[in-house]
Amino acid sequence: MPQLNEPKLISGNANRPLAEAIARRMSMHRGVNVGLVDARVERFNDGEIFVEVFENVRGEDMFIIQPTSNPANDNLMELVIMCDALRRSSASRITAVIPYFGYARQDRRTKARTPITAKLVANMMVSAGVERVLTMDLHAAQIQGFFDIPVDNLYASPIFALDIADTFRDRMGELMVVSPDVGGVARARELAKRINAPLAIVDKRREKPGEVAEMTVIGDVTGKICLIVDDICDTAGTLCKAAEVLLENGAKEVHSYISHGVMSGPAVERVTKSVMKSLVITDSIQPSATILSAPNIRVVPTAPIFAQAILNIWHGTSVSSLFEAETLTPIYESLYSQKK
């Protein structure tokens, strides 16, 4: 049964367009206007963050929409300070909607005397008053265990499967899904299963961090349209080199589907000049004007799935149902007609 209090959305400065898109989508689903709670998230002259909520939130079911993307520290502090403001204003429940969970790559100790920052960030959020987390494609599934509160981890692969079925509808038999490293095989296998395609792996060896010394393709990609699947594209160096190696091994075309387009430094320039036909990312991180103007980069929206997930959490119904094509297809039917 739905709660008596209404779901209310509030947003920081990390990805305001996505927050507004989620609110619009929820308005469509519910038939009533859903807007963002009126608030200001500003900085003092010395950089301190100040939050003020202008609406009454006592007893309300609050959803803070705030990815912790670049600048990660500022956006993380905005999130926990907004949470503190809502908790002290007697909100009944606070859910952090974090489309991109920053610091996720620091999920284990790879060397002596290094931190597990993902766990530290989880502790900060819980201490600030976050009671539930809704996110997408965590870098490592184990991060869910860093929280002692419920965590709903959505997946971009069902959305990518719809996009692939629409984009390559006449060439589905030529597709091959490729994992850019051994660690991402589970993610690639999930997408391959959804589109009924074979799987290959690019094995990379590093001489030192940030530099790839050698790449080997495991699997026969000859004559295939290769779809590289990964969760994060940062500087795009490894991604572009993997595309070159695949073509050298006989691939017909190379496209990439990446959940979170961090796209720092020379990433956009590299992708634009690369042999990849296209790079598809989500809007979990607000795309820059440079990304939007790149000829071979496309952005698919996550607002429909996040809006429905928020409503499911509010109603107390299944979030995992959104992983099924039968459930997700109607939500995205305006984008993907699925014509045969």
Side-chain angles (χ1 to χ4, degrees):
M1 294 294 292
Q3 302 296 318
L4 293 177
N5 49 354
E6 295 288 310
K8 286 200 171 182
L9 310 181
I10 188 170
S11 174
N13 296 313
N15 196 342
R16 185 89 181 181
L18 175 58
E20 292 171 348
I22 291 173
R24 286 195 302 271
R25 191 74 189 196
M26 288 178 64
S27 300
M28 292 171 58
H29 290 334
R30 302 193 63 228
V32 296
N33 181 53
V34 177
L36 298 177
V37 168
D38 190 15
R40 63 171 174 150
V41 182
E42 298 177 348
R43 282 160 178 73
F44 292 125
N45 291 333
D46 64 351
E48 284 187 11
I49 296 168
F50 175 73
V51 173
E52 183 177 7
V53 181
F54 296 119
E55 298 181 24
N56 178 30
V57 297
R58 183 180 298 274
E60 299 289 356
D61 195 358
M62 299 299 304
F63 293 83
I64 306 173
I65 303 171
Q66 178 80 345
T68 52
S69 49
N70 184 39
N73 297 335
D74 285 0
N75 289 331
L76 175 59
M77 286 305 298
E78 282 190 11
L79 173 60
V80 295
I81 292 172
M82 282 190 292
C83 185
D84 188 73
L86 295 173
R87 180 171 59 88
R88 295 177 187 277
S89 302
S90 302
S92 68
R93 181 176 65 173
I94 301 171
T95 300
V97 181
I98 313 171
Y100 170 70
F101 185 84
Y103 286 106
R105 286 173 281 185
Q106 298 182 50
D107 62 318
R108 65 195 184 282
R109 297 188 72 194
T110 55
K111 298 179 181 177
R113 297 173 296 280
T114 57
I116 304 178
T117 317
K119 171 59 176 170
L120 174 63
V121 170
N123 290 345
M124 289 174 61
M125 292 180 184
V126 174
S127 297
V130 172
E131 298 171 67
R132 190 180 195 102
V133 171
L134 174 63
T135 187
M136 173 172 279
D137 270 343
L138 287 169
H139 183 63
Q142 70 195 41
I143 294 174
Q144 296 175 75
F146 293 175
F147 292 88
D148 293 324
I149 56 175
V151 177
D152 293 302
N153 184 30
L154 301 177
Y155 300 105
S157 60
I159 306 172
F160 288 159
L162 293 176
D163 187 272
I164 291 166
D166 186 72
T167 304
F168 301 96
R169 68 167 64 99
D170 298 324
R171 299 188 289 170
M172 293 296 289
E174 303 176 57
L175 300 182
M176 173 171 273
V177 175
V178 179
S179 173
D181 53 47
V182 175
V185 169
R187 181 180 297 105
R189 185 187 297 118
E190 166 67 17
L191 180 60
K193 183 179 178 181
R194 287 181 180 276
I195 64 174
N196 194 28
L199 178 66
I201 304 169
V202 175
D203 179 41
K204 61 186 177 185
R205 300 179 185 179
R206 295 183 185 273
E207 292 291 337
K208 54 185 178 180
E211 292 186 12
V212 178
E214 182 182 353
M215 282 187 168
T216 305
V217 178
I218 303 174
D220 185 8
V221 298
T222 305
K224 294 291 187 178
I225 300 173
C226 290
L227 308 178
I228 302 175
V229 181
D230 208 354
D231 64 322
I232 295 173
C233 177
D234 192 348
T235 60
T238 301
L239 185 66
C240 293
K241 185 168 184 179
E244 293 174 3
V245 171
L246 288 169
L247 287 179
E248 290 169 1
N249 279 264
K252 184 189 297 184
E253 295 177 10
V254 178
H255 304 261
S256 295
Y257 282 81
I258 310 294
S259 303
H260 308 296
V262 176
M263 307 300 285
S264 57
V268 176
E269 182 181 0
R270 281 176 174 170
V271 171
T272 302
K273 295 179 179 179
S274 75
V275 296
M276 279 188 295
K277 290 283 187 178
S278 68
L279 166 63
V280 180
I281 59 176
T282 74
D283 59 355
S284 61
I285 299 173
Q286 184 175 349
S288 65
T290 307
I291 292 174
L292 295 175
S293 62
N296 59 343
I297 300 179
R298 289 194 295 115
V299 181
V300 296
T302 57
I305 193 172
F306 273 111
Q308 190 61 55
I310 289 171
L311 288 172
N312 287 9
I313 290 171
W314 175 61
H315 281 288
T317 56
S318 171
V319 173
S320 62
S321 64
L322 297 174
F323 306 158
E324 304 298 328
E326 294 79 7
T327 306
L328 195 65
T329 300
I331 299 173
Y332 277 85
E333 65 183 354
S334 61
L335 293 171
Y336 305 116
S337 60
Q338 295 297 300
K339 295 176 183 176
K340 300 297 182 183

